[in-house]
Amino acid sequence: MRFDIISVLPALLESPFAHSILQRAQKKGLSEIHVHNLRDYSTHKQKSVDDYQYGGGSGMVMSIEPFANCMDYLMSERDYDEIIFMTPDGETLKQTIANELSSKKNIIILCGHYKGIDQRIRDLYVTREISIGDYVLSGGELPAAVLVDTVVRLLPGVLNDETSALSDSFQGELLDAPVYTRPADWKGHRVPDILLSGNEAAINNWRHDQALERTQKRRPDLLK
Ligand code: ADE
Protein backbone atom coordinates (compact mmCIF):
# COMPACT_ATOMS: atom_id res chain seq x y z
CA MET A 1 0.00 0.00 0.00
CA ARG A 2 1.32 3.44 -0.94
CA PHE A 3 0.83 6.78 0.84
CA ASP A 4 1.81 10.14 -0.64
CA ILE A 5 1.71 12.83 2.02
CA ILE A 6 1.86 16.48 0.95
CA SER A 7 3.18 18.81 3.62
CA VAL A 8 4.82 22.18 4.10
CA LEU A 9 6.77 20.70 7.05
CA PRO A 10 8.05 17.32 5.79
CA ALA A 11 10.60 17.12 8.63
CA LEU A 12 7.69 16.63 11.05
CA LEU A 13 6.90 13.35 9.29
CA GLU A 14 10.39 11.82 9.32
CA SER A 15 10.47 10.26 12.76
CA PRO A 16 6.98 8.69 12.99
CA PHE A 17 7.68 6.40 10.04
CA ALA A 18 11.34 5.64 10.81
CA HIS A 19 10.87 3.30 13.77
CA SER A 20 9.27 0.12 15.00
CA ILE A 21 6.27 -1.34 13.17
CA LEU A 22 5.95 1.40 10.54
CA GLN A 23 9.62 1.12 9.64
CA ARG A 24 9.39 -2.69 9.48
CA ALA A 25 6.34 -2.52 7.20
CA GLN A 26 8.32 -0.40 4.74
CA LYS A 27 11.41 -2.60 4.93
CA LYS A 28 9.25 -5.65 4.20
CA GLY A 29 7.79 -3.83 1.18
CA LEU A 30 4.26 -3.93 2.65
CA SER A 31 3.87 -0.15 2.70
CA GLU A 32 5.52 2.80 0.97
CA ILE A 33 5.32 6.25 2.49
CA HIS A 34 6.41 9.20 0.35
CA VAL A 35 6.46 12.69 1.81
CA HIS A 36 6.36 15.62 -0.63
CA ASN A 37 7.44 19.14 0.25
CA LEU A 38 4.63 21.44 -0.88
CA ARG A 39 7.11 24.27 -1.50
CA ASP A 40 8.75 22.24 -4.27
CA TYR A 41 5.49 22.65 -6.22
CA SER A 42 5.18 26.42 -5.81
CA THR A 43 5.94 28.42 -8.95
CA HIS A 44 6.27 31.58 -6.88
CA LYS A 45 9.72 33.22 -6.69
CA GLN A 46 9.83 32.97 -2.90
CA LYS A 47 8.29 29.47 -3.00
CA SER A 48 5.34 30.76 -0.99
CA VAL A 49 2.40 28.41 -0.51
CA ASP A 50 -0.15 30.73 1.13
CA ASP A 51 -1.82 34.09 0.61
CA TYR A 52 -4.25 36.58 2.18
CA GLN A 53 -7.86 35.60 2.59
CA TYR A 54 -10.41 37.00 0.11
CA GLY A 55 -13.04 39.02 1.90
CA GLY A 56 -10.66 39.93 4.70
CA GLY A 57 -10.02 38.17 7.98
CA SER A 58 -6.97 37.17 9.93
CA GLY A 59 -4.76 34.24 8.99
CA MET A 60 -3.22 33.13 5.72
CA VAL A 61 -4.89 30.56 3.50
CA MET A 62 -2.95 27.84 1.67
CA SER A 63 -3.12 28.39 -2.08
CA ILE A 64 -4.56 25.95 -4.60
CA GLU A 65 -1.66 26.02 -7.07
CA PRO A 66 1.12 24.16 -5.21
CA PHE A 67 -1.32 21.45 -4.01
CA ALA A 68 -2.80 21.11 -7.50
CA ASN A 69 0.66 20.89 -9.13
CA CYS A 70 1.75 18.18 -6.70
CA MET A 71 -1.47 16.15 -6.99
CA ASP A 72 -1.60 16.47 -10.79
CA TYR A 73 1.94 15.12 -10.94
CA LEU A 74 1.14 12.20 -8.60
CA MET A 75 -2.09 11.37 -10.43
CA SER A 76 -0.24 11.31 -13.75
CA GLU A 77 1.95 8.53 -12.32
CA ARG A 78 -0.76 6.24 -10.90
CA ASP A 79 -4.42 6.03 -9.91
CA TYR A 80 -5.40 6.97 -6.36
CA ASP A 81 -8.24 5.41 -4.36
CA GLU A 82 -8.63 8.34 -1.98
CA ILE A 83 -7.38 11.91 -1.55
CA ILE A 84 -7.72 12.63 2.15
CA PHE A 85 -7.55 16.05 3.78
CA MET A 86 -6.73 16.04 7.51
CA THR A 87 -8.96 18.66 9.13
CA PRO A 88 -10.69 19.13 12.50
CA ASP A 89 -14.04 19.53 10.69
CA GLY A 90 -13.78 16.13 8.96
CA GLU A 91 -15.38 12.81 10.01
CA THR A 92 -13.82 11.54 13.22
CA LEU A 93 -11.27 8.77 12.74
CA LYS A 94 -12.54 5.41 14.04
CA GLN A 95 -11.19 1.87 13.77
CA THR A 96 -13.85 1.16 11.12
CA ILE A 97 -12.36 3.89 8.88
CA ALA A 98 -8.85 2.45 9.36
CA ASN A 99 -10.15 -1.03 8.48
CA GLU A 100 -11.81 0.33 5.35
CA LEU A 101 -8.72 2.26 4.20
CA SER A 102 -6.44 -0.74 4.77
CA SER A 103 -8.00 -2.41 1.69
CA LYS A 104 -6.94 0.49 -0.61
CA LYS A 105 -3.83 0.61 -2.76
CA ASN A 106 -2.82 4.25 -3.21
CA ILE A 107 -3.77 7.17 -0.96
CA ILE A 108 -2.82 10.86 -1.02
CA ILE A 109 -2.96 12.76 2.28
CA LEU A 110 -3.00 16.57 2.40
CA CYS A 111 -1.75 18.38 5.49
CA GLY A 112 -3.08 21.89 6.04
CA HIS A 113 -1.71 24.79 8.09
CA TYR A 114 -2.53 28.40 8.93
CA LYS A 115 -6.19 29.35 8.59
CA GLY A 116 -6.95 26.47 6.23
CA ILE A 117 -6.69 25.59 2.56
CA ASP A 118 -8.47 27.19 -0.39
CA GLN A 119 -11.93 25.60 -0.52
CA ARG A 120 -11.46 24.76 -4.22
CA ILE A 121 -8.81 22.16 -3.30
CA ARG A 122 -11.42 20.44 -1.14
CA ASP A 123 -14.12 20.75 -3.79
CA LEU A 124 -12.04 19.66 -6.77
CA TYR A 125 -9.62 17.06 -5.44
CA VAL A 126 -10.41 15.79 -1.94
CA THR A 127 -12.50 12.61 -1.68
CA ARG A 128 -12.54 12.32 2.10
CA GLU A 129 -11.93 14.62 5.09
CA ILE A 130 -10.78 13.11 8.37
CA SER A 131 -10.32 14.55 11.88
CA ILE A 132 -8.44 12.71 14.63
CA GLY A 133 -10.58 14.27 17.37
CA ASP A 134 -12.39 17.35 18.60
CA TYR A 135 -9.37 19.55 19.21
CA VAL A 136 -7.26 21.75 16.96
CA LEU A 137 -3.59 21.00 16.22
CA SER A 138 -1.22 23.41 14.49
CA GLY A 139 -1.14 21.37 11.30
CA GLY A 140 -2.22 18.17 9.62
CA GLU A 141 1.14 16.35 9.92
CA LEU A 142 0.59 14.67 13.29
CA PRO A 143 -2.98 13.69 12.31
CA ALA A 144 -1.60 12.24 9.03
CA ALA A 145 0.95 10.19 10.99
CA VAL A 146 -1.83 8.90 13.27
CA LEU A 147 -3.95 7.92 10.28
CA VAL A 148 -1.10 6.12 8.50
CA ASP A 149 -0.17 4.23 11.69
CA THR A 150 -3.72 2.95 12.27
CA VAL A 151 -3.93 1.74 8.67
CA VAL A 152 -0.45 0.25 8.14
CA ARG A 153 -0.58 -1.94 11.25
CA LEU A 154 -3.65 -3.64 9.76
CA LEU A 155 -1.92 -4.67 6.52
CA PRO A 156 -1.42 -8.44 6.28
CA GLY A 157 2.09 -9.43 7.39
CA VAL A 158 2.87 -6.20 9.27
CA LEU A 159 2.12 -7.48 12.78
CA ASN A 160 3.25 -10.86 14.03
CA ASP A 161 1.02 -13.08 16.20
CA GLU A 162 2.30 -11.46 19.34
CA THR A 163 1.03 -8.04 18.31
CA SER A 164 -2.02 -9.21 16.38
CA ALA A 165 -4.39 -6.36 15.58
CA LEU A 166 -7.45 -8.57 16.07
CA SER A 167 -7.34 -8.38 19.87
CA ASP A 168 -6.95 -4.57 19.93
CA SER A 169 -9.38 -2.42 21.83
CA PHE A 170 -11.98 -1.07 19.34
CA GLN A 171 -11.51 -3.95 16.91
CA GLY A 172 -14.44 -5.71 18.60
CA GLU A 173 -16.94 -3.89 20.76
CA LEU A 174 -14.91 -4.35 23.97
CA LEU A 175 -11.83 -2.54 25.27
CA ASP A 176 -8.78 -4.70 26.08
CA ALA A 177 -8.53 -6.58 29.40
CA PRO A 178 -5.63 -5.60 31.73
CA VAL A 179 -2.28 -7.30 31.07
CA TYR A 180 0.62 -8.23 33.39
CA THR A 181 4.21 -9.47 33.13
CA ARG A 182 6.88 -10.60 35.63
CA PRO A 183 7.36 -10.30 38.56
CA ALA A 184 4.21 -12.06 39.82
CA ASP A 185 4.55 -10.14 43.08
CA TRP A 186 5.83 -6.56 43.04
CA LYS A 187 6.13 -5.14 46.57
CA GLY A 188 3.01 -7.04 47.61
CA HIS A 189 1.00 -6.12 44.49
CA ARG A 190 0.17 -9.50 43.01
CA VAL A 191 -0.82 -10.52 39.50
CA PRO A 192 -4.37 -12.01 39.63
CA ASP A 193 -4.03 -15.72 40.59
CA ILE A 194 -6.17 -16.84 37.65
CA LEU A 195 -3.46 -15.74 35.18
CA LEU A 196 -0.95 -18.06 36.89
CA SER A 197 -3.37 -21.02 36.97
CA GLY A 198 -2.57 -22.40 33.51
CA ASN A 199 -6.33 -22.95 32.99
CA GLU A 200 -6.82 -21.48 29.50
CA ALA A 201 -10.63 -21.54 29.51
CA ALA A 202 -10.81 -19.87 32.91
CA ILE A 203 -8.27 -17.25 31.80
CA ASN A 204 -10.28 -16.48 28.66
CA ASN A 205 -13.46 -16.10 30.75
CA TRP A 206 -11.66 -13.80 33.18
CA ARG A 207 -10.28 -11.67 30.34
CA HIS A 208 -13.71 -11.36 28.79
CA ASP A 209 -15.28 -10.35 32.12
CA GLN A 210 -12.54 -7.79 32.73
CA ALA A 211 -12.92 -6.36 29.22
CA LEU A 212 -16.67 -6.09 29.70
CA GLU A 213 -16.32 -4.41 33.09
CA ARG A 214 -13.76 -1.94 31.75
CA THR A 215 -15.95 -1.11 28.76
CA GLN A 216 -19.06 -0.64 30.95
CA LYS A 217 -17.12 1.69 33.22
CA ARG A 218 -15.14 3.70 30.65
CA ARG A 219 -16.97 3.52 27.33
CA PRO A 220 -20.57 2.34 27.81
CA ASP A 221 -21.34 3.92 24.41
CA LEU A 222 -19.41 1.07 22.75
CA LEU A 223 -21.82 -1.57 24.07
CA LYS A 224 -24.72 -2.09 21.71
N1 ADE B 1 -5.57 19.62 11.74
C1 ADE B 1 -5.63 20.36 12.86
N2 ADE B 1 -6.31 19.75 13.83
C2 ADE B 1 -6.70 18.55 13.32
C3 ADE B 1 -7.45 17.46 13.84
N3 ADE B 1 -7.95 17.44 15.07
N4 ADE B 1 -7.65 16.40 13.02
C4 ADE B 1 -7.17 16.40 11.76
N5 ADE B 1 -6.46 17.40 11.23
C5 ADE B 1 -6.24 18.47 11.99
Side-chain angles (χ1 to χ4, degrees), residues 85-89 112 130-141 143-144:
F85 175 46
M86 304 309 301
T87 174
D89 59 9
I130 296 179
S131 161
I132 61 162
D134 289 343
Y135 41 82
V136 179
L137 295 156
S138 9
E141 284 77 11

Side-chain angles (χ1 to χ4, degrees), residues 8 39 49-51 59-62 112-117 138-139:
V8 77
R39 285 192 202 284
V49 292
D50 59 344
D51 212 330
M60 303 292 271
V61 173
M62 296 182 85
H113 267 265
Y114 320 119
K115 182 82 192 155
I117 66 175
S138 9

